[in-house]
Amino acid sequence: MAGKLDTYKRKRDFSKTAEPADGAPKRRTKLPRFVIQEHHATALHWDLRLERDGVGVSWAVPKGLPQDPKAKGLAVHTEDHPLSYFSFEGDIPRGEYGGGHVSIWDSGTYEVLEWADDKVKFRLHGKRADGEYVLIQTGGRDGRQWLIRKLDAAPPDWEPMPDNVVPMLATTAGAAPRGDGWAYEFKWDGVRAIAYVDGGRVRLMSRNTLDISPRYPELRELGLAVGSTRLVLDGEVVAFDEDGRPNFGRLQNRMHVTGEAKVRRLMKEVPIAYLIFDVLYLDGKSTMALPYSERRELLKKLKLKGPHWDTPDHYVDDGPAIIAASKAQQLEGVMAKRLDSAYVPGKRSDTWRKIKNIRRQEVVIGGWTQGEGAREGQLGALLIGVYDDEGVFRYAGNVGTGFTAKTLVELAAALKPLKRKDSPFANAVPKMHAKTATYVEPELVCEVEFTEWTGDGKLRHPSYKGVRDDKPARDVIRETHQ
């Protein structure tokens, strides 16, 4: 459709176009047309247009047509459009029909099942939209607010999008697994996140099912890029240093900030990227039971690459070479995954193995000691522990390095409300630390680098790397190499 679009607006009176009453003769006529246009305007939405009395009666549907008969979607009645608009694809000038870019998502014919002032029931015959739907007026200014529902059953193989997938976990290994049938991915020094993309909107959930979407608003663009595709993705949010390497310390500046103004400022100072390595749901079908190799092929076809997200390559076999490359690039390590492995939510599986170049351990803070010298009056060292196989919280040493002045203030503020009178550790804290110890409820998780575990279960030379709020404290156990 070339040239300037003609504006066509008039208030609809649905009662004047109602279907003949029961028993009245009906003429056999050609079915009217419908079109659904994907509209990238101020907010992504889909425009449903039904041919009626020589115009396109239109509703804006923010999340597209629902596929679940139990779900209700919002629909906003808009101005009528000329029928010539049914074939339009392209850019619209600002101020005309909301501006933005329009593409045809689906088109075809439809049958009117009921047409009244406050209710329109119809059956679509399209390539992507095929089934019975109803639009019901709910009120709002000028009666613009409607709901849309699917009336017939979902397709036989259709599955609803899961609400909350707990990420699959890996065991720790000291070297590449023997034999063939393994794929390798670089391990990124970031925060695990599950992304739910539905109706062009992105919801980002942490490993312990916290909604962290407000922390990373730049990932809203991923939803716009995906459009109507419905996805659940697994990946990691990372921040890079000046040399282009993932840097967990830099990410700390973004991990705990939710204030809108501060987040906007940090977006420029500490940009992030979402590195995607798995697809768990795709357009009405769970993919978690598929082998890893098939899930990666589906992920490749999605071509998820943008200004703040990417899909890094995976490499089949030749694990030692990939590990050597990760060391040369000073990366955290490598993930080894069996090509035939299914995705098992919330489980730590031997079919996924992490091989670290840098020894790290998540620990739970059980207290702190008073600082001395330059740190007098401040936090001196953290008393840290892990849970054993029986769920007992055991002291695993203290960490007194790796802090900045800002970190010390933030840690003191976070730990103050958690104070308790007695030690939370099942085993004894050394007397030299117990003298000035302030104990806390074991709720705050942090990550440390270290050289080795000692024979009595303590971390040697630990260095503080940052707080993690993406994992429950009770899940923190000692990581051992196979």
Side-chain angles (χ1 to χ4, degrees), residues 6 104 332 405 414:
D6 295 324
I104 296 175
E332 185 186 1

Side-chain angles (χ1 to χ4, degrees), residues 135-151:
L135 286 155
I136 301 173
Q137 188 183 50
T138 58
R141 189 180 64 184
D142 299 328
R144 286 162 48 90
Q145 299 300 315
W146 294 59
L147 289 176
I148 185 168
R149 287 182 50 216
K150 184 175 176 61
L151 295 177

Side-chain angles (χ1 to χ4, degrees), residues 66-233:
Q67 294 301 305
D68 186 350
K70 299 178 182 178
K72 296 178 181 178
L74 174 66
V76 180
H77 180 224
T78 62
E79 69 269 22
D80 297 338
H81 281 52
L83 295 181
S84 56
Y85 195 76
F86 276 42
S87 60
F88 175 74
E89 291 187 296
D91 294 318
I92 307 174
R94 182 181 296 180
E96 295 187 15
Y97 300 126
H101 182 81
V102 169
S103 60
I104 296 175
W105 185 81
D106 197 14
S107 62
T109 60
Y110 78 100
E111 299 175 58
V112 176
L113 304 179
E114 182 180 348
W115 195 293
D117 286 346
D118 57 356
K119 185 177 182 181
V120 178
K121 190 186 295 186
F122 53 96
R123 182 182 293 113
L124 298 179
H125 301 286
K127 292 180 180 178
R128 304 174 75 173
D130 191 272
E132 292 185 14
Y133 294 85
V134 64
L135 286 155
I136 301 173
Q137 188 183 50
T138 58
R141 189 180 64 184
D142 299 328
R144 286 162 48 90
Q145 299 300 315
W146 294 59
L147 289 176
I148 185 168
R149 287 182 50 216
K150 184 175 176 61
L151 295 177
D152 50 359
D157 59 348
W158 181 86
E159 300 174 64
M161 177 183 282
D163 290 327
N164 212 343
V165 178
V166 180
M168 180 174 172
L169 303 175
T171 58
T172 304
R178 296 178 179 178
D180 297 330
W182 292 85
Y184 296 86
E185 304 167 357
F186 289 122
K187 193 175 189 309
W188 309 107
D189 196 5
V191 174
R192 190 83 173 271
I194 302 291
Y196 302 79
V197 189
D198 185 10
R201 278 75 176 169
V202 177
R203 178 169 57 97
L204 207 65
M205 301 295 287
S206 71
R207 186 167 55 173
N208 59 338
T209 66
L210 292 175
D211 188 343
I212 57 175
S213 311
R215 303 179 189 181
Y216 311 108
E218 51 264 74
L219 293 181
R220 294 171 187 163
E221 296 180 35
L222 171 60
L224 299 178
V226 166
S228 63
T229 304
R230 305 177 76 236
L231 292 167
V232 178
L233 304 167

Side-chain angles (χ1 to χ4, degrees), residues 349-368:
S349 173
D350 189 46
T351 61
W352 282 20
R353 301 181 188 180
K354 51 187 174 184
I355 305 150
K356 295 184 177 182
N357 299 326
I358 303 168
R359 301 199 74 177
R360 287 199 176 179
Q361 172 71 47
E362 291 160 343
V363 294
V364 181
I365 301 172
W368 77 84

